[in-house]
Amino acid sequence: MTPLRRKLLRDIRRHRAQFVAIAVTMFLGVSIFAASYDSFRNLQASYATTATEFNFANLTATGGDSDGFAAVAAGTPGVAAVELRSVGDVPLRVDEVKLLGRAIGVPGAGQPAVNRLEILEGSYLAAGSDEGVLIEQHMADHFELVAGDSIDMLIADSWRSFSVAGVVASPEYIWPARSRQELITTPDNFGVVFVVEAVAAEIGDGPNEVAVLYADGDPNEDISDSLGEAARISGATNVYTRAEQPSNAALEEDLRGFEEMAVFFPMLFLTAAAMAAYVMISRLVYSQRPHIGVLLANGFTRRQVLVHYLGYGVVPGLVGAIPGALVGVFLARVITRLYTELLSIPVTLVQFYPLTLLGAVAFGLVASVLAALAPALVASRVGPAEAMRGETPTGSGRPSVLERLVPPLRRLPVAWRMTLRGVGRNPRRTGYTVIGVVLSLMLVLVSWGMIDTVRHLMDRQFVEIQQEDATVYFVGSASSVDVGTLADTPGVARVEPTLTLPVSLRSDSASYDTALTVLADDTTMHRLVSPDGEWFDLPDAGIVIGAATRKLLDLEVGDPVTAAVEGLGSVQTTVAGFVAEPLGTAAYIGLSQAELLASVDLRANAAFVSYSDGADPATIRSAITDRPDVAAFEDANAVYAMVQDFMVLFYAFVGIMLVFGAAMAFALIFNSMSVNIAERTREVATLLAVGTDRRSISRYISTENLLVAMLGIPIGLVVGYFSARTAMASFSSDLFAFDLYIKPTTFVWASLAIVVVALISQVPGLRAIRRINIPKVVKERSA
C-alpha cells in the first residue's frame, strides 16, 4: 500500500463520523433518484402498454353530427380504426343505493375496435343480449358485484333490471373520473357500465361519440389538429386527445410528478451531500497544509497530491452511491406494485433498467468528486515552504461587528465577548456552518411545505369553496318548485338549484373544453375566490372562468369569449373574472345572466343541499334518494374523505422525503459542527494550558455554534420557502393548482428542529474536548 493511500485510510478512520455522514447523504440522494426514476419509467411503460394492448383512443369527439365526423375520420390517412358509439349519463341503482352512472355502448358481437375491455371476471356480453351489463372494476369492487348479480338503470322514466355478465377494466377509467373538472368522485356517486349499443343509444340519444385510433396507436399532432377542427365543424361540443382524456390526464399529471420528483429531490440531496463533502475536505486541506508542504518537499508531485485529496470525495461517494442505487432499484419495484394495485392498472410492468443503476452511481460519484475538486486543487497548488511555515495571524484583535454596531455590548463579560468575536473571527468557518443550516432548512421545508400545501388546498376546495353538504342529481331536469320541495326534507336547512353543462370556451387564438356551472344569483353554497385570494360574488354580467384559462386562451377581464354550450348553442359573452380553485378549471355564471344569454328559461339538473346543525346525513340521504325524481346523491363529506384516503400514498412518499431530509439535515449540521470543533483543537489546548476549565470552553463553543446556526436560520427559511414554491409550481396545471402554503407554525418547528439538531450534533465534538492531551497538542504546535 502506498503512503498516500495509507494516509487516506487513516484520515478516513480518524474522521469516520464525518465521512459516514457524507456517505449517508450520498446514499439517500442516490436511492431517492433510483427509486423515483425507476418507478416513473415502470409506470410510464405500464400506461403505454395498457394503451397499446387495449387500443386506447387517440382522439374522442362528443356531440354534433357524429355519423358525419366518423365518416371523415375513417377516410383520414393514418387512422387505424373508428368506433361510433353511444354514451350517456344514467341513474343507476344497486340494491337501495342510487348513483349517477355512465352507460357506454359496445358491440354485441364482440370487443370494440377502439377502447377494448379486459374481462376480469365473468364473460363478455352475449350476442343479441339487451339485458346484460359489464361493470367497470372500481364500481364492482365497491358494491361487491360479481357475475350473476343485477343492477337497475332508469331508462325512459322506468327502472330496468340488468344482469351482470362480467367485471371489466377499461383504459378510459383506470382513474374513474367523470370529467376533467370532476376528477374526484366516490363509487357511491359515480360508476361506469357497458351495455350493448342499442341500449346505450336509448340512454344517450346516440350514437353521439366517436373514438378514433391512429396507426400503431401513436400520437400524431397533425391528425389530431385536422380531425379536431373537423369535429368542431360538425358541431362537437367536446373534443379531446388521449393526453387530455380525463382519466389519462389525471394519471399523466401524477406521472409527471414522479418524473419531477425523480430529479428535484435527488438534486437537493446530492447538492447538500456535495456541500457537506466540500466543507469537510476544505477544512481537512486547511488543517493539513503543513503535511502537504512536507509531501511536496519530499518529492510527491502535485498530481499525486491532487488525486490523493480527490480520494476523500471518491471514497464516501462510492460507499454511499453503490448501495444507494441498489436499494433504490429495489424500492422502485415495491413502489410500482403498490401504486398499480392501488389504481387497479390493468398492465403492470416492473423492469430492470441498467442505465438507471449506472446513472445513479455516476450521479453520486460526480457529486462527490466535484465537491472534492476545489479543495484538492488548492492542496496541489500550495507552495511547500509557505505551507510548512503554517499561517501566522496578523493584526490585533478587534471588537465584533455586533459590538461595533451596539457599543454597550463591549461591556459584556469576557466569556460573552469571546463568543461574539468567535463568530466573526473565522468567516470561512462561520460561512460553512451557515450554508449547512440553510441547506438543511431548504430540504425540510420543501417536503414539509408540500404536505402543508396539499392539506390547505383540500380544505380550501372542500371546506371553504364548496359549502354544500351534498349534491342531489335529478332524473332529467327539475323546476324551481321541484327543487324547493327538497327543503321540506327533515334536516335540510337550505337548497339551491344548479345546472352543469359541457361547454367549449373559445377565444380568437384557442379553445378549451370544460364544464359550465350555472349557480343561483345569490349563491351561498359555492364561493368564488380570485387568484389574489379575495372572495367575490357572481357578477351581474359576463362569465367567470378558471384562472388557468387566462393563459390557455390568452384572455383578460373584459375580453370577449364564445361559449358553445351543449344543448344551447353558441353564445357571445365577456370575461367577468377569474376564479382560482385547487381542483379543475370550471366556468361559472349566474342563473339570470345564463337565461338572458340563452334566451330560454333554464331548469336545474341538480341541487346543492346544506344540513341543519345536528342532522343525521344518513337519514337525509335515505329520505332524498327515496324520491322518484332523484337520480343520485353525492355526499360532499364522503368525497372529501375519499380524497384524504387517496392522498395517503402522496403523504407517505413526501413523508419519506421529510424523514430523509431531516436525516440529511442532521448529517449536514453534524458534519459542520464536528469539523468546526475538531479544527479548534490547538485553540482549545491553549485555553486549557492557561487554566480555563473544560466545561467553560465547551460552553463557549456551544454558544458560538448556536449563534452561527441562528444566523443561518432566517436565510434558510427564505431559501426554503422559495425552493418549496418552485417545487409546487412545477406540479400545477389546468387540472390542479398547487399554490404554496406553509403554516407559520411550520417555520417555527423547523427552526426549533435545527436548533435541537445543532445542539445534539455538537455532543461528539464536545466530548472529544475532554480527551484532549494538552502536552501533545502544544508540542505538535511548536514542532
Side-chain angles (χ1 to χ4, degrees), residues 25 81 108 114 118 193 208 254 278 350 395 410 427 447 478 483 528 643 706 740:
T25 55
V114 185
E118 180 183 20
V193 298
N208 59 352
D254 207 39
Y278 171 75
V350 178
R410 299 179 184 181
S447 302
V483 173
L528 303 177
V643 172
L706 281 179
L740 179 66

Side-chain angles (χ1 to χ4, degrees), residues 623-646:
I624 291 179
T625 54
D626 283 343
R627 293 170 50 128
D629 61 336
V630 170
F633 183 97
E634 183 174 84
D635 187 334
N637 295 321
V639 175
Y640 190 21
M642 192 197 74
V643 172
Q644 299 287 46
D645 291 340
F646 274 118

Side-chain angles (χ1 to χ4, degrees), residues 51 54-62 66 68-85 113-115 172 209-220 223-224 226-228 230-231 239-243:
F54 295 96
N55 291 350
F56 191 11
N58 294 100
L59 183 81
T60 304
T62 304
S66 297
F69 173 65
V72 172
T76 301
V79 170
V82 176
E83 190 72 32
L84 180 63
R85 64 184 186 176
V114 185
N115 295 330
E172 296 179 276
E209 187 168 282
V210 180
V212 184
L213 177 70
Y214 303 159
D216 299 323
D218 296 330
N220 188 310
I223 297 178
S224 294
S226 174
L227 290 182
V239 181
Y240 52 84
T241 63
R242 179 189 293 175

Side-chain angles (χ1 to χ4, degrees), residues 51-353:
T52 300
E53 289 190 5
F54 295 96
N55 291 350
F56 191 11
N58 294 100
L59 183 81
T60 304
T62 304
D65 181 9
S66 297
D67 291 296
F69 173 65
V72 172
T76 301
V79 170
V82 176
E83 190 72 32
L84 180 63
R85 64 184 186 176
S86 301
V87 179
D89 287 349
V90 59
L92 303 177
R93 187 169 63 192
V94 182
D95 296 327
E96 298 302 318
V97 178
K98 286 183 178 179
L99 65 151
L100 189 63
R102 179 164 296 159
I104 300 175
V106 294
Q111 287 268 10
V114 185
N115 295 330
R116 295 172 58 85
L117 305 174
E118 180 183 20
I119 308 299
L120 302 176
E121 181 185 334
S123 62
Y124 191 74
L125 296 174
S129 172
D130 289 349
E131 303 303 325
V133 63
L134 299 172
I135 308 294
E136 198 276 327
Q137 60 180 331
H138 294 90
M139 178 180 172
D141 291 343
H142 179 72
F143 290 106
E144 299 180 351
L145 294 170
V146 296
D149 290 342
S150 63
I151 68 167
D152 299 326
M153 277 189 274
L154 186 62
I155 303 175
D157 297 329
S158 64
W159 289 99
R160 287 172 53 182
S161 181
F162 290 79
S163 176
V164 177
V167 177
V168 299
S170 166
E172 296 179 276
Y173 294 97
I174 294 175
W175 176 267
R178 181 179 288 159
S179 68
R180 283 178 67 87
Q181 310 313 322
E182 296 174 285
L183 290 176
I184 300 174
T185 59
T186 67
D188 272 333
N189 303 324
F190 179 70
V192 179
V193 298
F194 299 87
V195 294
V196 294
E197 176 60 27
V199 175
E202 293 183 61
I203 298 169
D205 192 24
N208 59 352
E209 187 168 282
V210 180
V212 184
L213 177 70
Y214 303 159
D216 299 323
D218 296 330
N220 188 310
E221 290 187 10
D222 292 336
I223 297 178
S224 294
D225 291 342
S226 174
L227 290 182
E229 182 63 26
R232 295 191 187 281
I233 292 174
S234 70
T237 55
N238 194 8
V239 181
Y240 52 84
T241 63
R242 179 189 293 175
E244 296 166 336
Q245 196 269 345
S247 173
N248 192 56
L251 294 175
E252 288 294 333
E253 283 293 316
D254 207 39
L255 191 61
R256 188 166 66 89
F258 259 107
E259 184 180 21
E260 291 177 350
M261 285 185 178
V263 176
F264 187 79
F265 274 107
M267 285 298 294
L268 284 181
F269 279 64
L270 291 177
T271 298
M275 181 56 65
Y278 171 75
V279 170
M280 190 204 69
I281 299 169
S282 293
R283 290 180 168 187
L284 194 64
V285 169
Y286 180 77
S287 64
Q288 292 187 359
R289 282 175 61 86
H291 303 163
I292 297 169
V294 171
L295 290 173
L296 292 172
N298 283 276
F300 286 91
T301 66
R302 296 185 181 277
R303 181 176 180 181
Q304 287 177 305
V305 172
L306 173 66
V307 172
H308 170 67
Y309 282 99
L310 281 176
Y312 290 96
V314 172
V315 172
L318 288 175
V319 170
I322 293 175
L326 295 174
V327 169
V329 169
F330 170 76
L331 286 176
R333 295 171 174 263
V334 176
I335 292 171
T336 302
R337 289 197 172 93
L338 286 174
Y339 190 88
T340 54
E341 287 176 10
L342 178 67
L343 295 183
S344 302
I345 296 173
V347 178
T348 300
L349 291 182
V350 178
Q351 301 175 340
F352 173 64
Y353 302 97

